[in-house]
Amino acid sequence: MARRRRDTALPPPFLKRVWLPEREEQEGPDEVDWDRYPFNLPMIGNSGIDIAFDSPITIIVGENGSGKSTILEAIAHACGFSDKGGAQQMGAVSQSIAHDTDGGALGELLKTSWLPQVRNGWFFRAETFFDVARYLDEASIESGKTPPQFLKASHGQGFLGFFEERLNNQGIYFFDEPESALSPMRQFDFLKILRRMQREGKTQVIMATHSPILMALPDAALWDISRFGLQPITLEDTEHFRIYREFMLYPHDTVEAMIE
């Protein structure tokens, strides 16, 4: 008989630390090609991976190619989530549909420390959202339940409806660029959901984003990823905020300077 999931009275963050052991200490695949992506990410070669979580919501920022989505995927994999997204061990998306799942190979080598380890949660990947939503609809129909029908709404409304329906349970949640289908106003709606999660004190969130709006969430830990590893950063010091600020102050001059 399956064990019933029990909530813990301890507050988040539940995942306390993630680290990549020294090469001689690793117990993962026998052969690791350190010259192949993602093992050749600059931050791995320069500083390694050793991340301590001290806030219920951690936001990771960085330029394209810095490895932020890959690191997020690797952590999610190490926590028992499918590279393709969904709940723990959910096989909602075929490997032929899911792309850029290199983080799973890195996740095989990561070590995790919990207090306590939670079994509930979700890994949200924007590019596989519709396949996961279709899987949930079909699973509901097969069990005789009314399907949630996230796909009947617009892209952004489907995202928000999914978040509202899925983020009420205690657990750990991973979001990879959730702003991809959200207008600026809808991003504030998503911030309201995250704020509620903070206040309820039942969930841990680790999110990668390019959006300065999402980066501005109060009380969240903001980290910048670069070739030198993860470093704490303020919103005003991120490249994303700086370029948006220049654009808002001098829109035409900024665009002209950038494209010439």
Side-chain angles (χ1 to χ4, degrees), residues 15-55:
L15 178 63
K16 298 296 186 181
R17 181 185 171 215
V18 173
W19 72 98
L20 181 66
E22 296 295 332
R23 297 186 185 187
E24 60 272 14
E25 299 174 0
Q26 288 165 2
E27 301 173 356
D30 294 333
E31 297 293 335
V32 175
D33 185 355
W34 295 98
D35 295 322
R36 180 177 61 85
Y37 191 88
F39 305 106
N40 63 354
L41 279 169
M43 70 169 290
I44 294 178
N46 289 333
S47 63
I49 299 175
D50 196 337
I51 307 170
F53 299 98
D54 56 10
S55 176

Side-chain angles (χ1 to χ4, degrees), residues 143-206:
S143 63
K145 300 178 181 178
T146 302
Q149 297 183 328
F150 298 117
L151 301 181
K152 286 190 175 294
S154 69
H155 201 176
Q157 289 174 321
F159 274 32
L160 290 174
F162 172 84
F163 295 146
E164 287 279 7
E165 196 265 348
R166 289 276 155 178
L167 303 184
N168 294 320
N169 297 323
Q170 185 178 77
I172 183 169
Y173 296 87
F174 298 88
F175 298 111
D176 187 14
E177 300 180 12
E179 73 276 9
S180 60
L182 300 175
S183 69
M185 187 60 68
R186 292 303 184 194
Q187 289 180 43
F188 282 106
D189 290 336
F190 183 54
L191 277 181
K192 293 177 184 178
I193 297 174
L194 293 177
R195 191 59 165 166
R196 187 181 73 231
M197 295 170 74
Q198 284 178 318
R199 288 172 173 165
E200 291 179 351
K202 299 190 300 183
T203 53
Q204 179 176 2
V205 172
I206 303 175

Side-chain angles (χ1 to χ4, degrees), residues 59-62 68 177-179 207-211 214-215 240:
I59 301 174
I60 302 174
V61 305
K68 68 181 184 306
E177 300 180 12
E179 73 276 9
M207 175 172 64
T209 183
H210 286 296
S211 168
L214 300 187
M215 294 177 199
H240 308 73

